[in-house]
Amino acid sequence: GFRDAQVELSRSFNNTSVIVGTAVSTEISRCAVMESSVRGHDHVAAFVGESKATTVISDCLAKAKIVSDEHQAGGLVGTSTGLTLTRCLFRGTVDNEQLHASGILGLIDATAVPTQLSHNMVAADHIFSVRNLTHPLLQTSGRDCTLESNYTLATTLYDSPGSPPPKSYTNPNDENGQQVTEATAKSNAHYATTLGWDMEKVWAHVDNDYPILRWMKTNGGATGINHIKTTDRNGTVRYYDLQGRYIGTSLNSLPAGVYIGGGKKIMKK
């Protein structure tokens, strides 16, 4: 897992991501990229910049801010010339300062090896493109792919920051997926029954929020708070909520509650 990763590739280079720039017949499973940001020029995503051959991504989670300054931006993968992606969750935002922005996959670039997306959930806050070239799941460019049981969040905003309307999509087996409410997207039944995820051994549901990978959960708390870096090298203390979300370096402006700081639970009254 990666937390607070910041990856930026300047100038006209491709394949920018947290985990793999170019994946060729690679398997990625049960990985997480959380509270992270990625910025690049083309093939920009949280997990893989460019997917080739028989690459498989399964049971993965990202909560990230993805930004491209011109070409393909995708929540999890930038481009595909061969990919199977299943049982994955993307949360966060995808922005393109010029062209295409997509919730999971920026672009299918070729079809010699098929691209297959199935049983995924996109819970993005927004998917923005300056030229209003936004896609809930992926940009196919008219190329064939296999799509089955993919869902998106009904409150996701699309198009440009100046005019970000929600959109309506109803087919879980097409390139836009089917929208669900936030309540459904946070429910155990949506993942266990509708999407067929293993909520007993692989995924965990905590506090009626979006699911996390089970290895992120500890016996004593909601998420893997024991593994969160709470103190920087200069002595600055970082604070997190009980879901492991980074709050800031001060509790002064936060409401009463329980937080994590300095490796301990802290009660603010």
Side-chain angles (χ1 to χ4, degrees), residues 233-252:
R233 289 183 179 180
N234 63 6
T236 300
V237 176
R238 296 185 178 197
Y239 295 98
Y240 296 80
D241 65 15
L242 291 181
Q243 282 70 52
R245 293 183 290 248
Y246 176 57
I247 301 297
T249 58
S250 172
L251 295 178
N252 292 339

Side-chain angles (χ1 to χ4, degrees), residues 15 20-24 26 48-52:
N15 305 339
V20 182
T22 299
V24 183
T26 301
V48 172
E50 181 180 26
S51 173
K52 294 184 174 183

Side-chain angles (χ1 to χ4, degrees), residues 127-229:
I127 301 173
F128 286 164
S129 158
V130 169
R131 300 192 188 181
N132 294 350
L133 300 172
T134 57
H135 315 273
L137 296 176
L138 77 162
Q139 178 196 170
T140 65
S141 290
R143 297 183 174 97
D144 290 336
C145 61
T146 299
L147 300 166
E148 179 183 359
S149 193
N150 295 296
Y151 292 83
T152 65
L153 194 62
T155 55
T156 299
L157 299 178
Y158 294 92
D159 295 339
S160 67
S163 177
K167 295 185 177 181
S168 178
Y169 302 111
T170 59
N171 186 349
N173 302 319
D174 72 9
E175 62 187 79
N176 297 315
Q178 178 177 322
Q179 290 175 324
V180 295
T181 65
E182 185 176 18
T184 297
K186 290 183 177 180
S187 70
N188 187 78
H190 179 60
Y191 299 94
T193 303
T194 305
L195 290 172
W197 294 13
D198 186 341
M199 301 303 292
E200 299 297 325
K201 296 180 180 179
V202 179
W203 295 88
H205 216 154
V206 178
D207 296 336
N208 296 315
D209 202 347
Y210 292 101
I212 58 174
L213 290 163
R214 188 156 289 275
W215 63 257
M216 300 168 71
K217 184 182 179 191
T218 65
N219 292 330
T223 57
I225 59 177
N226 294 333
H227 304 290
I228 295 174
K229 185 180 77 170

